[in-house]
Amino acid sequence: MVAAKIEKIAQDIKTMRIRGAGRIARAAARALKIAAKESQAKTPAEFSSEMKRASKILLETRPTAVSLPNAVRYVLLGLKQTHGADIWTMKKAVISRADGFIKNSLEAVKKIGEIGANRISNGDVILTHCNSECALSIIKTAFKQGKNIEVYTTESRPVWQGRLSARELLKEGIPTTMIIDSAVRHFIRDVDKVIVGADSIAANGAVVNKIGTSSIALAAHEARVLFFVAAETYKFHPETLVGRLVEIEERDPSEVINLRRFPGLKVRNPAFDVTPPEYVDLIVTERGIIPPYAAYAIIKEIFEWNPGERIQQTGDKLRPLI
Ligand code: RI2
């Protein structure tokens, strides 16, 4: 019964019924909370392995957004902190850390909106790509502050997340124009600022986000248009400090074309790409605005990493950061 609930959440993440790096992370925390709450384990060891099994199922869903493993790591730290205690104490720790993650995540999105909106000027034309709740939080907050802004949103093929953004923006009454992904360079001179989200940010400040982001960054760079990234600190990728590359998810060709009608056709469908730090002007986090090159310092602080040591997350340190 519990397993079925975890599988259902994992399936929803895989099929993108639940999508967006922040939402995926909160869904994983919620799944672990359900697993803890409904566990029938008789011993602490049994409980620990149940939690680890649930985590594994969640971690195997989508590989690119580091928010997912960071959320799991954050919640599972409850097991480590209560090592040697009874099941009840362990359950309580996991549940409260899951609740804590979800609460902090929602607060971070709001805070990013407030911090980022300070950088939006009256009359700005903003371009956004895909559907990032952090990027939209900035845009919506600026609009609520009475700034007269206009938004261009891409379609974000092949899954059309741009339609979600368009709907959200129109609901707020924000003047919105949709363009096809390949029209970005054509319109970039009408744009004052680009704001996008992130699925992972590497230690060198490279931003992994929805496919097409790096081409938009290139066009913005060429036209001297500011390029902002909006991301909570749990989107920073700890293992990139020691050289790990962020895995780029390649999704099913059926998202792009009906292969039955094109027998023999090869299709590549990467869901994300990497924007180098030199094309990023700033990253808006819930802790403030940083240049991309400060990513190293953020990761080092969150994960308490010193050169030559294994990366480890010490829960109390992480807590105020997310
Ligand atoms: P928030 C999304 O991935 C997009 O790439 C988006 O820019 C990013 O997550 C961050 O979104 P997908 O799940 O966390 O649509 O800011 O593949 O909502």
Side-chain angles (χ1 to χ4, degrees):
M1 191 59 195
V2 193
K5 286 184 187 172
I6 307 301
E7 288 286 0
K8 165 85 175 66
I9 294 174
Q11 197 54 26
D12 284 350
I13 293 174
K14 246 188 222 164
T15 56
M16 294 178 73
R17 203 192 304 268
I18 298 174
R19 54 142 299 279
R23 289 189 181 94
I24 291 173
R26 293 198 293 275
R30 184 163 48 84
L32 291 177
K33 178 180 169 173
I34 294 171
K37 242 181 159 174
E38 301 187 10
S39 164
Q40 302 291 321
K42 301 272 182 297
T43 64
E46 211 181 302
F47 179 68
S48 284
S49 41
E50 274 184 9
M51 294 306 298
K52 283 175 190 155
R53 221 174 305 135
S55 301
K56 195 165 172 277
I57 293 170
L58 295 164
L59 291 171
E60 280 168 357
T61 52
R62 295 187 72 192
T64 306
V66 75
S67 49
L68 173 59
N70 278 348
V72 168
R73 225 186 302 228
Y74 184 87
V75 175
L76 286 197
L77 213 62
L79 291 180
K80 220 174 175 187
Q81 287 172 338
T82 53
H83 184 72
D86 56 284
I87 293 194
W88 180 237
T89 309
M90 291 171 86
K91 269 192 183 187
K92 251 178 40 190
V94 169
I95 292 169
S96 107
R97 287 189 73 82
D99 284 338
F101 182 87
I102 294 167
K103 182 171 168 280
N104 292 343
S105 163
L106 293 170
E107 278 171 12
V109 173
K110 195 164 170 275
K111 197 89 214 286
I112 286 169
E114 287 158 10
I115 295 171
N118 291 331
R119 295 298 175 102
I120 307 300
S121 310
N122 197 32
D124 270 355
V125 176
I126 298 163
L127 183 135
T128 191
H129 183 52
C130 197
N131 176 252
S132 153
E133 56 178 355
C134 287
L136 293 188
S137 176
I138 295 177
I139 295 169
K140 288 181 198 168
T141 309
F143 186 73
K144 279 189 190 127
Q145 288 170 347
K147 287 173 186 159
N148 181 17
I149 55 173
E150 203 187 309
V151 179
Y152 277 69
T153 177
T154 59
E155 291 179 311
S156 313
R157 286 265 298 141
V159 193
W160 312 100
Q161 290 98 326
R163 293 178 181 177
L164 300 173
S165 295
R167 224 173 255 135
E168 272 188 57
L169 293 162
L170 291 175
K171 201 170 147 219
E172 299 290 321
I174 303 174
T176 304
T177 304
M178 176 161 287
I179 59 172
I180 60 172
D181 298 343
S182 45
V184 167
R185 190 161 178 265
H186 180 77
F187 286 110
I188 199 74
R189 287 185 196 285
D190 299 344
V191 171
D192 297 292
K193 278 150 198 161
V194 175
I195 310 180
V196 297
D199 293 81
S200 279
I201 300 176
N204 67 348
V207 173
V208 182
N209 191 48
K210 183 55 53 193
I211 190 78
T213 302
S214 67
S215 311
I216 297 174
L218 204 57
H221 184 75
E222 180 195 41
R224 295 172 186 268
V225 169
L226 288 170
F227 189 91
F228 295 177
V229 174
E232 310 89 317
T233 48
Y234 54 78
K235 308 255 178 81
F236 287 81
H237 200 308
E239 279 90 8
T240 58
L241 265 185
V242 285
R244 171 139 160 222
L245 296 176
V246 177
E247 185 183 338
I248 302 293
E249 176 185 9
E250 237 185 279
R251 295 185 60 84
D252 201 85
S254 61
E255 287 183 348
V256 178
I257 200 165
N258 181 352
L259 275 182
R260 270 183 307 223
R261 298 180 58 199
F262 294 85
L265 180 68
K266 270 199 223 155
V267 175
R268 298 291 306 270
N269 183 22
F272 304 96
D273 65 19
V274 183
T275 300
E278 47 276 30
Y279 299 140
V280 177
D281 288 287
L282 51 89
I283 303 175
V284 186
T285 78
E286 73 280 17
R287 308 185 81 214
I289 291 176
I290 60 160
Y293 298 103
Y296 169 81
I298 289 270
I299 297 175
K300 201 165 160 342
E301 196 181 325
I302 297 175
F303 296 94
E304 288 204 329
W305 183 79
N306 289 309
E309 279 180 8
R310 268 194 72 219
I311 290 169
Q312 50 178 311
Q313 176 188 311
T314 53
D316 297 334
K317 271 275 174 179
L318 183 70
R319 178 171 274 277
L321 297 180
I322 65 164

